Amino acid sequence: MFEDEFKKDSDVRRGKYTTVSIPITLYNRIKELIKDTGFTSVSQFVTYILREVIASMEREKLESSMISEEEKKRIIEKLRKLGYI
Amino acid sequence: MSKEKVAVYISKELYERVKKFIETQGGFSTIEEFVEFVLNEVISEEPTSYTMSKEDEEKVKERLRALGYI
Amino acid sequence: MVSKPHGNKLINRVVVGRRRDHLLEEAKELPRIEISETLAADTINIAHGVYSPLEGFMTQEDYIHVLHDMRLSNDIPWTIPIILDVNPEDIVDIKEGDDITLTHNNKPIAIMKIEEIYGWDKNEYCKQVFKATDPTHPGVTKTMGRKELLIGGPIDLLNDIYEPFEKYRLWPIETRVLFEAKRWRTIAGFQTRNVPHLGHEYVQKAALTFVDGLFINPLVGWKKRGDFKDEVIARAYEVLIQHYFPKDSIVFSVLRMEMRYAGPREAVFHAIVRKNFGCTHFIVGRDHAGVGNFYKPYEAWEIFKEFPDLGITPLFIRESFYCKKCGGFVNEKICPHSDENRIRISGTKLRRFILRKEKPPEYMVRPEVFEVILSFDNPFIE
């Protein structure tokens, strides 16, 4: 069973889209949930949520500072000279 | 729960992005498992929409109208 | 906490020390391609991480994805192609896999590894990026005049170009350290290409009310005729900040980057660039990066809905105007009065006062700023 309201077959044949299967119960709940929200299909909603979640998880994984102490000192010196701090 | 599944479309690029992420992250053996988990999480966060009958809604509107709010 | 760089990786492709000496020698032997100031600025921006996660000029796969999906081929949001155009006759002896030297005014700027040479459809570019093919759109005219082929691949920066605003220029790694040193957790970026009038100041201060710091980051470089000269903008901000902003809440630095006038797409691009500087928020105004009537006044707000993974929060702040009844600067959302009480401050109105050298009303522009503008013989680009 395919959700046919999202993208034309031609797009899929071009290899632009791929499918992920989710339980029909979940599908129906989402379909109900997105009524009158601006999302026009379950696929569109899934895309939105995945991007939001993945981006925030990728960010969390990152270490807070990627700048070495030495580099930081050099930059702070420059900023001081320019009058920024 | 029914085992029946439905396919949703996502772009290949997004699929790869998710795949790469769960490969480095661990905890999920398949993309479908991850997608299902995320969607269930998101959906359970949504407040259950309260339902109101048409008559009830009309009653409330009437009162708001009488009070000059609308 | 400052924002994570776009794509979670702050790019640094500036070559230093012995490796630079070595590459400078090597650069002498390589085929050369002379590039414009605008492209040299792009090269430098790539190297300093302004366009992170890009490490060079786009290859076809990224170019096509950006053009049609507004994302890089790895799904990361990106709305404006960063491309290098060349004449076919300039690269007859060059093939994919070669290293070349990019020069500006015959001075080597960078070494580029050519991963790909490909053609492009300029008309399609204009349709997608500008939503226009009308030659009255400055971006369309510029694009149609560009060279026929594109070359893509990573760059390594050897030399900067001369920067007249050196003392006002900070790179992303520097603003990140600076914001942290100031202990700002939320920073709003403000994009501009104009001298500040009271309308701008109101928008900036409306944002600053809710964040720890404001990063004012005007673009310098290629702009269209009739725009203010770069130096006028920098000097005007200098006096505005000195007299009208709390010093510990603002950072001013310039960015040498071309204006594309691509409206909504460029608004997202501007946000991404400021995210790389460490901003957590970005002010999107009325008709952001627009020109003429090519885009709807608040079209640039709509597009942000398509990017739940942008990693910087847009601040949609309405156009402000002076209301006689309110007795101050307000916007549509907070002022109940009719149009005849409202005075809109436009660049055009300000220009008339400048050309006549006539002092404008105090609600239009700060007197110190106006004085700076008038101190130039011609403050506009000819």
Side-chain angles (χ1 to χ4, degrees), chain C residues 179-210:
Chain C
F179 297 159
E180 256 176 42
K182 286 179 171 291
R183 300 188 185 284
W184 289 353
R185 296 184 65 84
T186 50
I187 305 111
F190 183 79
Q191 146 72 31
T192 183
R193 54 192 156 95
N194 264 312
V195 297
H197 55 57
L198 269 284
H200 300 123
E201 191 180 324
Y202 169 87
V203 167
Q204 290 160 356
K205 287 180 172 173
L208 188 51
T209 308
F210 297 98

mmCIF file of all heavy atoms in Angstrom, chain C residues 179-210:
data_model
loop_
_atom_site.group_PDB
_atom_site.id
_atom_site.type_symbol
_atom_site.label_atom_id
_atom_site.label_comp_id
_atom_site.label_asym_id
_atom_site.label_seq_id
_atom_site.Cartn_x
_atom_site.Cartn_y
_atom_site.Cartn_z
ATOM 1 N N PHE C 179 31.798 36.279 21.366
ATOM 2 C CA PHE C 179 30.477 36.121 21.989
ATOM 3 C C PHE C 179 30.598 35.338 23.304
ATOM 4 O O PHE C 179 29.923 35.629 24.285
ATOM 5 C CB PHE C 179 29.493 35.417 21.051
ATOM 6 C CG PHE C 179 29.189 36.166 19.772
ATOM 7 C CD1 PHE C 179 28.686 35.504 18.653
ATOM 8 C CD2 PHE C 179 29.394 37.536 19.692
ATOM 9 C CE1 PHE C 179 28.407 36.189 17.479
ATOM 10 C CE2 PHE C 179 29.117 38.237 18.512
ATOM 11 C CZ PHE C 179 28.629 37.546 17.404
ATOM 12 N N GLU C 180 31.462 34.331 23.281
ATOM 13 C CA GLU C 180 31.658 33.545 24.492
ATOM 14 C C GLU C 180 32.306 34.377 25.595
ATOM 15 O O GLU C 180 31.912 34.301 26.758
ATOM 16 C CB GLU C 180 32.506 32.311 24.198
ATOM 17 C CG GLU C 180 31.673 31.043 24.138
ATOM 18 C CD GLU C 180 32.490 29.826 23.752
ATOM 19 O OE1 GLU C 180 33.627 29.697 24.262
ATOM 20 O OE2 GLU C 180 32.001 29.019 22.941
ATOM 21 N N ALA C 181 33.303 35.178 25.188
ATOM 22 C CA ALA C 181 33.979 36.041 26.163
ATOM 23 C C ALA C 181 33.003 37.036 26.780
ATOM 24 O O ALA C 181 33.122 37.411 27.936
ATOM 25 C CB ALA C 181 35.141 36.777 25.484
ATOM 26 N N LYS C 182 32.035 37.452 25.988
ATOM 27 C CA LYS C 182 31.029 38.391 26.489
ATOM 28 C C LYS C 182 29.929 37.673 27.271
ATOM 29 O O LYS C 182 29.001 38.298 27.767
ATOM 30 C CB LYS C 182 30.391 39.151 25.319
ATOM 31 C CG LYS C 182 31.288 40.210 24.710
ATOM 32 C CD LYS C 182 30.580 40.897 23.546
ATOM 33 C CE LYS C 182 31.335 42.101 23.029
ATOM 34 N NZ LYS C 182 31.360 43.224 23.981
ATOM 35 N N ARG C 183 29.996 36.352 27.303
ATOM 36 C CA ARG C 183 29.012 35.507 27.979
ATOM 37 C C ARG C 183 27.598 35.687 27.436
ATOM 38 O O ARG C 183 26.603 35.622 28.156
ATOM 39 C CB ARG C 183 29.020 35.754 29.500
ATOM 40 C CG ARG C 183 30.357 35.446 30.119
ATOM 41 C CD ARG C 183 30.330 35.488 31.623
ATOM 42 N NE ARG C 183 31.676 35.308 32.146
ATOM 43 C CZ ARG C 183 32.303 34.145 32.199
ATOM 44 N NH1 ARG C 183 31.704 33.053 31.776
ATOM 45 N NH2 ARG C 183 33.538 34.066 32.667
ATOM 46 N N TRP C 184 27.531 35.960 26.125
ATOM 47 C CA TRP C 184 26.212 36.024 25.500
ATOM 48 C C TRP C 184 25.743 34.608 25.225
ATOM 49 O O TRP C 184 26.495 33.789 24.702
ATOM 50 C CB TRP C 184 26.297 36.777 24.171
ATOM 51 C CG TRP C 184 26.542 38.247 24.300
ATOM 52 C CD1 TRP C 184 26.556 38.984 25.450
ATOM 53 C CD2 TRP C 184 26.797 39.154 23.229
ATOM 54 N NE1 TRP C 184 26.812 40.296 25.158
ATOM 55 C CE2 TRP C 184 26.964 40.438 23.802
ATOM 56 C CE3 TRP C 184 26.902 39.028 21.851
ATOM 57 C CZ2 TRP C 184 27.224 41.572 23.045
ATOM 58 C CZ3 TRP C 184 27.159 40.153 21.086
ATOM 59 C CH2 TRP C 184 27.316 41.417 21.681
ATOM 60 N N ARG C 185 24.498 34.346 25.553
ATOM 61 C CA ARG C 185 23.922 33.028 25.237
ATOM 62 C C ARG C 185 23.021 33.110 24.005
ATOM 63 O O ARG C 185 22.866 32.159 23.275
ATOM 64 C CB ARG C 185 23.139 32.481 26.434
ATOM 65 C CG ARG C 185 24.016 32.217 27.649
ATOM 66 C CD ARG C 185 23.219 31.593 28.768
ATOM 67 N NE ARG C 185 22.726 30.273 28.390
ATOM 68 C CZ ARG C 185 23.461 29.164 28.493
ATOM 69 N NH1 ARG C 185 24.692 29.230 28.953
ATOM 70 N NH2 ARG C 185 22.957 28.005 28.153
ATOM 71 N N THR C 186 22.418 34.258 23.823
ATOM 72 C CA THR C 186 21.581 34.467 22.639
ATOM 73 C C THR C 186 22.071 35.700 21.887
ATOM 74 O O THR C 186 22.281 36.755 22.482
ATOM 75 C CB THR C 186 20.106 34.650 23.014
ATOM 76 O OG1 THR C 186 20.027 35.650 24.051
ATOM 77 C CG2 THR C 186 19.486 33.369 23.530
ATOM 78 N N ILE C 187 22.253 35.531 20.602
ATOM 79 C CA ILE C 187 22.790 36.612 19.769
ATOM 80 C C ILE C 187 21.940 36.723 18.506
ATOM 81 O O ILE C 187 21.746 35.735 17.795
ATOM 82 C CB ILE C 187 24.243 36.322 19.338
ATOM 83 C CG1 ILE C 187 25.129 36.049 20.544
ATOM 84 C CG2 ILE C 187 24.804 37.473 18.511
ATOM 85 C CD1 ILE C 187 25.613 34.645 20.669
ATOM 86 N N ALA C 188 21.456 37.935 18.240
ATOM 87 C CA ALA C 188 20.673 38.142 17.016
ATOM 88 C C ALA C 188 21.549 38.798 15.955
ATOM 89 O O ALA C 188 22.185 39.821 16.209
ATOM 90 C CB ALA C 188 19.457 39.017 17.304
ATOM 91 N N GLY C 189 21.575 38.204 14.783
ATOM 92 C CA GLY C 189 22.320 38.774 13.666
ATOM 93 C C GLY C 189 21.452 39.758 12.899
ATOM 94 O O GLY C 189 20.244 39.537 12.750
ATOM 95 N N PHE C 190 22.056 40.855 12.453
ATOM 96 C CA PHE C 190 21.315 41.826 11.644
ATOM 97 C C PHE C 190 22.061 42.059 10.340
ATOM 98 O O PHE C 190 23.214 42.458 10.326
ATOM 99 C CB PHE C 190 21.156 43.156 12.400
ATOM 100 C CG PHE C 190 20.330 44.182 11.662
ATOM 101 C CD1 PHE C 190 18.948 44.095 11.673
ATOM 102 C CD2 PHE C 190 20.937 45.217 10.962
ATOM 103 C CE1 PHE C 190 18.170 45.028 10.989
ATOM 104 C CE2 PHE C 190 20.165 46.165 10.273
ATOM 105 C CZ PHE C 190 18.776 46.071 10.296
ATOM 106 N N GLN C 191 21.367 41.787 9.258
ATOM 107 C CA GLN C 191 21.925 41.952 7.914
ATOM 108 C C GLN C 191 21.565 43.343 7.414
ATOM 109 O O GLN C 191 20.446 43.789 7.582
ATOM 110 C CB GLN C 191 21.293 40.883 7.021
ATOM 111 C CG GLN C 191 21.053 41.262 5.584
ATOM 112 C CD GLN C 191 22.354 41.332 4.807
ATOM 113 O OE1 GLN C 191 23.297 40.610 5.098
ATOM 114 N NE2 GLN C 191 22.412 42.219 3.843
ATOM 115 N N THR C 192 22.520 44.026 6.791
ATOM 116 C CA THR C 192 22.162 45.323 6.230
ATOM 117 C C THR C 192 23.080 45.683 5.071
ATOM 118 O O THR C 192 24.132 45.073 4.878
ATOM 119 C CB THR C 192 22.200 46.438 7.307
ATOM 120 O OG1 THR C 192 21.772 47.662 6.717
ATOM 121 C CG2 THR C 192 23.591 46.615 7.885
ATOM 122 N N ARG C 193 22.632 46.632 4.282
ATOM 123 C CA ARG C 193 23.480 47.207 3.235
ATOM 124 C C ARG C 193 23.192 48.693 3.118
ATOM 125 O O ARG C 193 23.362 49.296 2.093
ATOM 126 C CB ARG C 193 23.252 46.480 1.903
ATOM 127 C CG ARG C 193 21.805 46.434 1.474
ATOM 128 C CD ARG C 193 21.599 45.481 0.323
ATOM 129 N NE ARG C 193 20.231 45.008 0.256
ATOM 130 C CZ ARG C 193 19.279 45.558 -0.503
ATOM 131 N NH1 ARG C 193 19.530 46.593 -1.251
ATOM 132 N NH2 ARG C 193 18.056 45.059 -0.506
ATOM 133 N N ASN C 194 22.701 49.229 4.213
ATOM 134 C CA ASN C 194 22.280 50.628 4.209
ATOM 135 C C ASN C 194 22.821 51.383 5.410
ATOM 136 O O ASN C 194 23.188 50.780 6.405
ATOM 137 C CB ASN C 194 20.757 50.702 4.273
ATOM 138 C CG ASN C 194 20.151 50.854 2.900
ATOM 139 O OD1 ASN C 194 20.600 51.705 2.128
ATOM 140 N ND2 ASN C 194 19.176 50.041 2.597
ATOM 141 N N VAL C 195 22.794 52.708 5.305
ATOM 142 C CA VAL C 195 23.089 53.494 6.498
ATOM 143 C C VAL C 195 21.859 53.387 7.410
ATOM 144 O O VAL C 195 20.732 53.266 6.931
ATOM 145 C CB VAL C 195 23.392 54.978 6.178
ATOM 146 C CG1 VAL C 195 24.630 55.094 5.311
ATOM 147 C CG2 VAL C 195 22.209 55.646 5.545
ATOM 148 N N PRO C 196 22.084 53.389 8.711
ATOM 149 C CA PRO C 196 20.953 53.173 9.615
ATOM 150 C C PRO C 196 20.087 54.421 9.788
ATOM 151 O O PRO C 196 20.595 55.502 10.065
ATOM 152 C CB PRO C 196 21.641 52.823 10.937
ATOM 153 C CG PRO C 196 22.982 53.496 10.866
ATOM 154 C CD PRO C 196 23.366 53.540 9.421
ATOM 155 N N HIS C 197 18.778 54.257 9.578
ATOM 156 C CA HIS C 197 17.862 55.330 9.975
ATOM 157 C C HIS C 197 17.086 54.836 11.192
ATOM 158 O O HIS C 197 17.312 53.716 11.663
ATOM 159 C CB HIS C 197 16.987 55.804 8.808
ATOM 160 C CG HIS C 197 16.181 54.740 8.117
ATOM 161 N ND1 HIS C 197 15.298 53.939 8.779
ATOM 162 C CD2 HIS C 197 16.128 54.366 6.813
ATOM 163 C CE1 HIS C 197 14.709 53.124 7.924
ATOM 164 N NE2 HIS C 197 15.221 53.344 6.715
ATOM 165 N N LEU C 198 16.186 55.654 11.695
ATOM 166 C CA LEU C 198 15.507 55.309 12.941
ATOM 167 C C LEU C 198 14.681 54.031 12.816
ATOM 168 O O LEU C 198 14.516 53.302 13.787
ATOM 169 C CB LEU C 198 14.604 56.474 13.389
ATOM 170 C CG LEU C 198 15.198 57.522 14.330
ATOM 171 C CD1 LEU C 198 15.297 56.975 15.745
ATOM 172 C CD2 LEU C 198 16.544 58.026 13.890
ATOM 173 N N GLY C 199 14.173 53.767 11.604
ATOM 174 C CA GLY C 199 13.403 52.548 11.380
ATOM 175 C C GLY C 199 14.251 51.315 11.658
ATOM 176 O O GLY C 199 13.814 50.388 12.341
ATOM 177 N N HIS C 200 15.494 51.301 11.155
ATOM 178 C CA HIS C 200 16.403 50.185 11.412
ATOM 179 C C HIS C 200 16.703 50.068 12.907
ATOM 180 O O HIS C 200 16.707 48.976 13.471
ATOM 181 C CB HIS C 200 17.741 50.380 10.688
ATOM 182 C CG HIS C 200 17.617 50.475 9.203
ATOM 183 N ND1 HIS C 200 18.071 51.558 8.490
ATOM 184 C CD2 HIS C 200 17.086 49.617 8.296
ATOM 185 C CE1 HIS C 200 17.843 51.367 7.209
ATOM 186 N NE2 HIS C 200 17.245 50.199 7.058
ATOM 187 N N GLU C 201 16.959 51.204 13.486
ATOM 188 C CA GLU C 201 17.351 51.211 14.897
ATOM 189 C C GLU C 201 16.239 50.608 15.761
ATOM 190 O O GLU C 201 16.495 49.833 16.682
ATOM 191 C CB GLU C 201 17.657 52.646 15.327
ATOM 192 C CG GLU C 201 18.331 52.733 16.687
ATOM 193 C CD GLU C 201 18.621 54.186 17.077
ATOM 194 O OE1 GLU C 201 18.960 55.009 16.190
ATOM 195 O OE2 GLU C 201 18.497 54.506 18.275
ATOM 196 N N TYR C 202 15.003 50.929 15.413
ATOM 197 C CA TYR C 202 13.873 50.386 16.174
ATOM 198 C C TYR C 202 13.827 48.860 16.066
ATOM 199 O O TYR C 202 13.642 48.150 17.059
ATOM 200 C CB TYR C 202 12.561 50.998 15.668
ATOM 201 C CG TYR C 202 11.346 50.284 16.215
ATOM 202 C CD1 TYR C 202 10.804 50.646 17.441
ATOM 203 C CD2 TYR C 202 10.767 49.228 15.508
ATOM 204 C CE1 TYR C 202 9.705 49.963 17.949
ATOM 205 C CE2 TYR C 202 9.675 48.556 16.007
ATOM 206 C CZ TYR C 202 9.142 48.930 17.228
ATOM 207 O OH TYR C 202 8.067 48.249 17.719
ATOM 208 N N VAL C 203 14.014 48.360 14.831
ATOM 209 C CA VAL C 203 13.987 46.907 14.605
ATOM 210 C C VAL C 203 15.112 46.232 15.403
ATOM 211 O O VAL C 203 14.910 45.219 16.072
ATOM 212 C CB VAL C 203 14.113 46.595 13.093
ATOM 213 C CG1 VAL C 203 14.396 45.115 12.859
ATOM 214 C CG2 VAL C 203 12.848 47.015 12.354
ATOM 215 N N GLN C 204 16.299 46.816 15.343
ATOM 216 C CA GLN C 204 17.441 46.259 16.072
ATOM 217 C C GLN C 204 17.174 46.230 17.568
ATOM 218 O O GLN C 204 17.468 45.253 18.258
ATOM 219 C CB GLN C 204 18.695 47.100 15.796
ATOM 220 C CG GLN C 204 19.206 46.948 14.370
ATOM 221 C CD GLN C 204 20.101 48.098 13.950
ATOM 222 O OE1 GLN C 204 20.295 49.062 14.688
ATOM 223 N NE2 GLN C 204 20.635 48.003 12.750
ATOM 224 N N LYS C 205 16.599 47.320 18.061
ATOM 225 C CA LYS C 205 16.374 47.405 19.504
ATOM 226 C C LYS C 205 15.202 46.526 19.950
ATOM 227 O O LYS C 205 15.201 46.017 21.072
ATOM 228 C CB LYS C 205 16.194 48.865 19.928
ATOM 229 C CG LYS C 205 17.539 49.593 19.875
ATOM 230 C CD LYS C 205 17.477 51.047 20.262
ATOM 231 C CE LYS C 205 18.901 51.590 20.350
ATOM 232 N NZ LYS C 205 18.937 53.044 20.564
ATOM 233 N N ALA C 206 14.238 46.341 19.051
ATOM 234 C CA ALA C 206 13.146 45.414 19.367
ATOM 235 C C ALA C 206 13.734 44.018 19.565
ATOM 236 O O ALA C 206 13.379 43.303 20.504
ATOM 237 C CB ALA C 206 12.123 45.401 18.226
ATOM 238 N N ALA C 207 14.680 43.624 18.722
ATOM 239 C CA ALA C 207 15.317 42.303 18.854
ATOM 240 C C ALA C 207 16.178 42.250 20.108
ATOM 241 O O ALA C 207 16.119 41.290 20.882
ATOM 242 C CB ALA C 207 16.166 42.006 17.622
ATOM 243 N N LEU C 208 16.943 43.293 20.309
ATOM 244 C CA LEU C 208 17.892 43.318 21.433
ATOM 245 C C LEU C 208 17.197 43.239 22.794
ATOM 246 O O LEU C 208 17.785 42.796 23.778
ATOM 247 C CB LEU C 208 18.764 44.585 21.334
ATOM 248 C CG LEU C 208 19.940 44.715 22.293
ATOM 249 C CD1 LEU C 208 20.824 43.485 22.278
ATOM 250 C CD2 LEU C 208 20.757 45.952 21.945
ATOM 251 N N THR C 209 15.934 43.648 22.806
ATOM 252 C CA THR C 209 15.162 43.548 24.046
ATOM 253 C C THR C 209 15.073 42.100 24.529
ATOM 254 O O THR C 209 14.952 41.842 25.710
ATOM 255 C CB THR C 209 13.736 44.096 23.801
ATOM 256 O OG1 THR C 209 13.855 45.385 23.218
ATOM 257 C CG2 THR C 209 12.950 44.217 25.089
ATOM 258 N N PHE C 210 15.145 41.153 23.591
ATOM 259 C CA PHE C 210 14.935 39.753 23.948
ATOM 260 C C PHE C 210 16.173 38.878 23.903
ATOM 261 O O PHE C 210 16.121 37.718 24.267
ATOM 262 C CB PHE C 210 13.863 39.139 23.036
ATOM 263 C CG PHE C 210 12.532 39.800 23.209
ATOM 264 C CD1 PHE C 210 12.111 40.781 22.335
ATOM 265 C CD2 PHE C 210 11.720 39.457 24.282
ATOM 266 C CE1 PHE C 210 10.894 41.412 22.518
ATOM 267 C CE2 PHE C 210 10.508 40.080 24.466
ATOM 268 C CZ PHE C 210 10.087 41.064 23.589
#
